[in-house]
C-alpha cells in the first residue's frame, strides 16, 4: 500500500523582488488580502504528491497599474505540474499595484511558492 502523505503548501512571499525596473518604486505590488490570498489558490498537484515532488517554484509576474497579472514567467522550476499550480495561484490573485510618485504603475515581482509533503 502506498504511503499516504499529508500535503502542506508553504507560501513564502516575504521577499518580493523587482526585476528590470527602470525606477525605484515608492510601494511594491502586493496581493490583496495578503499572502493568504495566494495560498488559497495554490493546489498541490496530485501527480506531484504521488511522485513525492517537493521544492520551491519562483514565479516572476508583471502586475499592471490596475492590479492585474498581465505576464508570468517561471524563474525556478520544480516540476511542470507544480510550476503550473504556482502560476495559476499567482494569476488568480488580485493585486494592489505598485506606486511611484502617487501614481499606480506596472511592476514586476518574484513570488516563491514552496511545495512540501510531510508524513
Amino acid at each position: 500500500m502506498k504511503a499516504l502523505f499529508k500535503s502542506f503548501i508553504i507560501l513564502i512571499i516575504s521577499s518580493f523582488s523587482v526585476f528590470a525596473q527602470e525606477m525605484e518604486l515608492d510601494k511594491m505590488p502586493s496581493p490583496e488580502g495578503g499572502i493568504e490570498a495566494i495560498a488559497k489558490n495554490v493546489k498541490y498537484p496530485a501527480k506531484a504528491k504521488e511522485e513525492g515532488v517537493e521544492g520551491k517554484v519562483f514565479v516572476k509576474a508583471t502586475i499592471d497599474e490596475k492590479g492585474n497579472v498581465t505576464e508570468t514567467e517561471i524563474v525556478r522550476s520544480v516540476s511542470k505540474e507544480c510550476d503550473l499550480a504556482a502560476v495559476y495561484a499567482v494569476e488568480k490573485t488580485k493585486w494592489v499595484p505598485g506606486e511611484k510618485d502617487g501614481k499606480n504603475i506596472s511592476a514586476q515581482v518574484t513570488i516563491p511558492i514552496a511545495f512540501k509533503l510531510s508524513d
Side-chain angles (χ1 to χ4, degrees), residues 49-101:
K49 279 196 263 186
E50 290 169 9
E51 295 176 357
V53 175
E54 296 182 322
K56 209 179 282 183
V57 177
F58 286 78
V59 179
K60 181 166 58 170
T62 302
I63 312 300
D64 71 12
E65 58 281 338
K66 294 179 183 176
N68 300 308
V69 177
T70 59
E71 204 173 313
T72 58
E73 175 186 339
I74 298 296
V75 177
R76 187 163 107 194
S77 175
V78 169
S79 72
K80 180 179 178 180
E81 294 79 17
C82 289
D83 296 350
L84 290 172
V87 166
Y88 175 83
V90 170
E91 289 178 341
K92 294 299 283 183
T93 302
K94 181 68 176 169
W95 292 77
V96 176
E99 286 184 18
K100 177 68 178 167
D101 299 326

Side-chain angles (χ1 to χ4, degrees), residues 9 15 38 44 57 70-71 75 85 90 104-105 116:
I9 300 170
S15 58
I38 297 175
Y44 211 124
V57 177
T70 59
E71 204 173 313
V75 177
V90 170
N104 291 351
I105 64 167
K116 180 160 177 59

